[in-house]
Amino acid sequence: MKNIFKNKLQFKVLFCLSFIIFLSCDTDETQTVATLNNLVWADEFDTNGTPDSGKWNLLTGDGTAQGIPGWGNNELQTYTDRSDNVTVQNGVLIITAKEEDFQGKSYTSARITTKGKLDQQYGRFEARIKLPTGKGIFPAFWLLGDDNNGSLVWPQIGEIDIMEFLGDEPTTVFGTIHGPNYSGANSITKKYEIQNDRFDTGFHVFGVEWTPNQINWYVDGDLYQSITPADVSEETDGTGEWVFNRPFHIILNVAVGGNLPGSPNAETDFPQRMLVDYVRVYN
């Protein structure tokens, strides 16, 4: 049952606390980010069944059809649009990773995107999510840049990982960007470690606020990373290009195996589910 942000008083209190946190940061850019409170798009997942086709695309396959087998990470799953792998029930989006033989793969899961339905340049993107667990389980909430009708390829299009999670590290999430000369294992990233809690036992709010010259990462309203063009230049000895100046779309998925996080082991239980209470976008 949804029990957060539905009560208007709770929402106002949380917003005010978040605003205070934002203002405590000492850069003008961060203070500007605090004004991004105009809700422009949302999915509250209030209708049971298949995710809203007016908002989401359901990708299928193992990436081969897109020219990136293993989805660029040598992953072990194939994505499907079956209700076994992706459905909305009781106000929650459920993405389920299963161990099963399907289309030549040993695992199935789901990946949904807003490409062509919501492609937004700048704003605050956030989701309230309960994460799955286990070695080899790799859920993510992320943004991918516009490919200019196919003329650009990754990492030139840019990638903003709002939240990535390794199922065998239940107290830690990552916030990351990928671009030219800082992609894959050389991406610019930072961990957030939760105190006295785990990300697989309850819902948490993951978000970024993205402006022309800064991206900020938050977990439950806590700012834990800020990256600017100057940071990219410093991290790459001047070779990195800031490519976060085009529309991006949202992706939610649960991968299984791959270069990161490695394969499941005998202790990994299936099925594993990522639960998403809502996704909201502000400007």
Side-chain angles (χ1 to χ4, degrees):
M1 178 180 294
K2 297 187 179 183
N3 58 10
I4 191 168
F5 292 161
K6 299 304 184 185
N7 181 293
K8 291 183 178 179
L9 179 58
Q10 288 178 314
F11 179 86
K12 289 178 180 178
V13 170
L14 182 56
F15 180 79
C16 290
L17 289 173
S18 298
F19 188 74
I20 291 170
I21 292 170
F22 298 154
L23 290 183
S24 68
C25 301
D26 60 6
T27 67
D28 291 340
E29 184 71 12
T30 304
Q31 292 180 19
T32 300
V33 166
T35 67
L36 301 179
N37 55 18
N38 177 45
L39 184 66
V40 295
W41 186 95
D43 197 339
E44 304 292 332
F45 303 112
D46 288 333
T47 302
N48 288 348
T50 303
D52 184 347
S53 61
K55 295 180 177 179
W56 299 101
N57 310 295
L58 279 60
L59 272 65
T60 59
D62 64 0
T64 301
Q66 290 78 14
I68 45 173
W71 298 103
N73 185 39
N74 291 317
E75 294 165 8
L76 304 177
Q77 82 290 330
T78 188
Y79 291 129
T80 88
D81 56 6
R82 304 176 305 164
S83 60
D84 284 0
N85 296 114
V86 58
T87 189
V88 176
Q89 296 293 331
N90 301 318
V92 175
L93 169 72
I94 306 170
I95 295 180
T96 303
K98 301 180 68 176
E99 184 176 20
E100 59 177 337
D101 293 329
F102 188 87
Q103 296 181 351
K105 298 293 182 178
S106 298
Y107 303 93
T108 61
S109 188
R111 172 169 168 159
I112 67 174
T113 88
T114 65
K115 185 175 182 179
K117 298 176 179 182
L118 174 75
D119 298 90
Q120 177 156 316
Q121 184 171 340
Y122 311 132
R124 183 166 102 239
F125 299 76
E126 66 180 29
R128 183 173 182 258
I129 303 173
K130 181 181 178 183
L131 294 168
T133 190
K135 174 65 177 175
I137 304 300
F138 189 24
F141 167 41
W142 49 301
L143 308 177
L144 197 60
D146 176 45
D147 63 4
N148 195 29
N149 295 318
S151 66
L152 299 175
V153 297
W154 186 91
Q156 184 67 39
I157 57 176
E159 176 180 329
I160 303 171
D161 298 321
I162 301 172
M163 178 281 301
E164 292 182 301
F165 175 78
L166 306 182
D168 59 343
E169 298 182 15
T171 63
T172 302
V173 293
F174 301 81
T176 306
I177 56 172
H178 302 259
N181 293 319
Y182 53 100
S183 62
N186 297 314
S187 59
I188 300 174
T189 187
K190 186 174 183 179
K191 291 183 179 181
Y192 177 92
E193 186 166 1
I194 198 168
Q195 301 300 310
N196 304 313
D197 202 353
R198 295 165 58 113
F199 288 112
D200 59 338
T201 57
F203 284 90
H204 296 272
V205 179
F206 306 98
V208 295
E209 292 193 325
W210 164 35
T211 59
N213 295 303
Q214 187 160 328
I215 305 171
N216 293 337
W217 280 257
Y218 300 87
V219 174
D220 294 329
D222 292 337
L223 171 65
Y224 74 95
Q225 174 173 223
S226 295
I227 298 178
T228 68
D231 296 322
V232 168
S233 180
E234 181 178 354
E235 291 284 340
T236 62
D237 293 326
T239 65
E241 179 185 354
W242 181 263
V243 291
F244 307 101
N245 50 9
R246 58 170 54 87
F248 278 56
H249 61 269
I250 299 170
I251 304 174
L252 289 161
N253 71 291
V254 178
V256 180
N259 301 331
L260 184 71
S263 298
N265 60 23
E267 298 178 355
T268 307
D269 291 326
F270 287 92
Q272 285 294 327
R273 297 179 176 88
M274 178 167 76
L275 309 182
V276 184
D277 183 33
Y278 62 76
V279 181
R280 296 173 181 164
V281 181
Y282 303 79
N283 66 14

